[in-house]
Amino acid sequence: MIFVDADACPVKPEILKVAERHGIEVTFVANSGLRPSRDPMVHNVIVSSAFDAADNWIAERAGEGDVVVTADVPLAGRCVAAGAMVTGPTGRIFDKANIGMATAMRDLGAHLRKTGESKGYNAAFSPRDRSQFLETFDRLCRRAKAMIPPTGGQI
């Protein structure tokens, strides 16, 4: 299963394209409306507007063998802890080796913005980011498919 933190996600079309090619179900989770899909492999979940409602919904369900797409570092940390494979929309991988540093850098950035030391501008999403995401996401989908045990045979 692919879980997408869909509010403001810039790579939804790419996710659908790669997921379809690999035959993996996708669940988009958001606080607001999502474009409906007739594809039975695509699910839309609208959660309440409560703080972190979408993050909580994803974190409660994502686990071993799932792929999560999010730019939210705390959500990435929760999903990594549950065994999911996590990437940001720029193709940045979050895993057990780097989630601590990603969290520390996020906290430092928040502190610098709060104290006025940094304006906190995010870089624009570039074609290179989109390309890197596609490469990373395809690799994670192949890894997720390899983790799924075959059905219908002798074990």
Side-chain angles (χ1 to χ4, degrees), residues 99-121:
I99 195 65
M101 181 60 78
T103 301
M105 293 304 293
R106 176 195 172 273
D107 294 346
L108 175 61
H111 173 73
L112 292 174
R113 285 187 300 278
K114 185 176 179 179
T115 61
E117 295 294 320
S118 170
K119 299 286 188 225
Y121 299 119

